[in-house]
């Protein structure tokens, strides 16, 4: 038996990334890793899938063993694909040694499983690699499975993957996917192969080593800290009511976090910059590229929020929530779904940040109000024609709980108001109410502040200000905490 040239040495058979079967000479029309990550993706799944590896930093050295775990929210059939540092690709599961690829909701599939006659062992080539899990509610046809696992060349293999995706893409409720990027390095003390790919993920930035004991969770264990700040006051659709201070919120929040929150990098998108495409670029591509597992990411949004009818059955209340980008458009349900940032979609984007500590801060609300200071879309235009008034807005709340159920944790959501409340811009016209008190807490503190500290401080301040300034109304911030440890906003 020939030794596999990429990742695996199998005790019984070489089933994963065999050099002879996956020769790099058969070049794909595009980078296979890009195809598997970008082209074969489902941003509107009806259920969640998570694939994880046994190294928190996703870094392996030659000779290390890799252990993979896949969790799914629903019963289905698992197909696990792997692209190595040279673009060689194969199916890890199912394989010649194990054809039973059923996966049960709440019961993880481990590869290799207990007593499996093979091991996954790291070998050359080294560099950035991608592991993707696809779970379908029904088994793929034999010819589809063959297109995933058969063939002697990368181009043929990628073509098979894309062919399967083409058949599934119009049925987003029937399948879901998730991937992790890993980095493989030569064995400790050995020289890298000549011409081997860079050892950092694409777009990554080298960082100094953390001090001893840095993983203890204190302010010195922050790793890299990166933020995305979005604020929208002006909207392209004339039917959407403009706001006064949304863009100011993002600028002021980003400045406070740069000065006092020890951000290494940040991106600010305001008004016409904050299109749906630019927001996706910042969250789905830029944030994962400039961070790695163990780092901290902060996402802030100030603007409109609303909701529309759920179309895939994943929402208990029957509605999907959405945030309104600059180019969002009201209209029929398809127009709304095609131009707004749905919570299903954002929840899938958040999975790209698996392994990072993530804070999501939303100064928005369900658009039910009509006074000048309330963040409403406008009279009669609250949530589109498919939904009645009086609805609760709980953007990402359910998605975060579901992600936690399949093992993705270390996330926290701070929302400016409870589900059935509205959020206010301050009557003074400077900032939105929650953002004002949040920034004041960060700037005035003389000690490290966690997000829990800030929440405890601003919750009564926001409620008191709104009750006094807008009699007969209430606004109460909410914290949804799935953190594994402590998150410092001001270290």
């Amino acid at each position: 038996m020939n030794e596999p040239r990429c990742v695996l040495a199998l005790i019984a058979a070489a089933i994963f990334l065999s050099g002879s079967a996956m020769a790099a000479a058969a070049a794909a029309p595009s980078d296979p890793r890009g195809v598997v990550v970008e082209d074969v993706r489902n941003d509107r799944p009806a259920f969640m899938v998570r694939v994880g590896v046994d190294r928190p930093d996703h870094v392996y050295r030659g000779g290390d063993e890799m252990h993979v775990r896949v969790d799914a929210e629903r019963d289905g059939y698992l197909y696990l694909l792997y692209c190595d540092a040279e673009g060689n690709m194969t199916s890890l599961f199912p394989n010649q040694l194990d054809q039973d690829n059923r996966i049960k909701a709440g019961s993880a599939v481990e590869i290799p499983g207990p007593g499996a006659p093979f091991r996954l062992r790291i070998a050359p080539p080294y560099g950035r690699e991608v592991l993707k899990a696809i779970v379908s509610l029904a088994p793929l046809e034999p010819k589809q499975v063959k297109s995933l696992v058969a063939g002697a060349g990368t181009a043929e293999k990628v073509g098979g993957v894309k062919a399967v995706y083409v058949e599934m893409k119009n049925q987003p409720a029937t399948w879901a996917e998730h991937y992790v990027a890993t980095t493989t390095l030569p064995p400790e003390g050995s020289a890298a192969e000549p011409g081997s790919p860079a050892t950092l993920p694409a777009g990554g930035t080298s960082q100094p080593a953390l001090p001893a004991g840095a993983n203890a969770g204190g302010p010195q264990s922050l790793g890299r800290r990166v933020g995305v700040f979005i604020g929208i006051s002006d909207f392209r659709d004339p039917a959407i009511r403009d706001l006064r201070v949304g863009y100011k919120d993002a600028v002021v929040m980003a400045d406070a976090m740069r000065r006092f929150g020890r951000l290494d990098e940040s991106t600010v998108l305001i008004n016409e910059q904050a299109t749906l495409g630019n927001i996706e670029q910042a969250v789905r591509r830029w944030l994962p590229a400039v961070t790695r597992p163990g780092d901290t990411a902060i996402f802030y949004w100030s603007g409109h929020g609303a909701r529309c009818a759920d179309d895939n059955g994943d929402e208990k209340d029957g509605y999907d929530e959405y945030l309104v980008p600059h180019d969002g458009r009201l209209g029929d349900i398809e127009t709304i779904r095609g131009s707004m940032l749905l919570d299903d979609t954002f929840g899938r984007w958040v999975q790209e940040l698996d392994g990072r500590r993530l804070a999501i801060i939303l100064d928005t609300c369900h658009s039910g109000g009509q006074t000048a200071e309330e963040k409403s879309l406008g009279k009669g235009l609250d949530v589109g024609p498919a939904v009645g008034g009086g609805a609760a807005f709980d953007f990402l709340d359910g998605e975060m709980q579901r992600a936690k159920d399949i093992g993705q944790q270390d996330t926290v959501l701070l929302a400016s108001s409870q589900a059935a409340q509205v959020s206010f811009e301050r009557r003074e016209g400077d900032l939105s109410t929650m953002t004002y008190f949040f920034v004041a807490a960060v700037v005035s503190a003389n000690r490290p502040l966690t997000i829990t500290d800030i929440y405890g401080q601003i919750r009564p301040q926001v409620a008191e200000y709104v009750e006094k300034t807008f009699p007969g109304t209430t606004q109460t911030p909410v914290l949804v905490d799935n953190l594994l440890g402590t998150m410092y906003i001001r270290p």
Side-chain angles (χ1 to χ4, degrees), residues 1 9-13 116-119 121:
M1 180 190 306
L10 302 176
I11 294 176
F118 61 89
R119 295 291 182 269
R121 197 179 301 279

Side-chain angles (χ1 to χ4, degrees), residues 47-66:
F47 60 99
M48 284 187 173
V49 170
R50 180 177 184 266
V51 58
V53 292
D54 59 329
R55 295 289 176 87
D57 59 0
H58 298 185
V59 177
Y60 293 83
R61 289 192 173 272
D64 291 344
E65 288 189 8
M66 176 187 289

Side-chain angles (χ1 to χ4, degrees), residues 48-59 68-71 131-133 177-182 201 283-285 287-297 346-360 399-400 402-411 482 484:
M48 284 187 173
V49 170
R50 180 177 184 266
V51 58
V53 292
D54 59 329
R55 295 289 176 87
D57 59 0
H58 298 185
V59 177
V68 180
R69 175 188 171 110
V70 182
D71 295 83
L131 181 69
K132 168 161 272 190
E177 46 75 37
H178 180 226
Y179 80 92
V180 291
T182 62
V283 179
R284 268 202 69 244
R285 297 184 177 88
L287 264 182
V290 299
T291 60
R292 60 189 182 190
D295 291 344
T296 296
F346 191 75
R348 179 62 190 88
W349 293 359
V350 166
Q351 284 193 289
E352 308 292 302
L353 297 166
D354 200 5
R356 286 79 164 169
R357 182 164 292 176
L358 174 64
I360 302 164
E399 281 71 20
M400 286 184 64
R402 291 161 53 208
K404 181 180 179 180
D405 290 342
I406 60 170
Q408 183 182 4
Q409 301 184 11
D410 240 5
T411 59
N482 289 339
L484 295 175

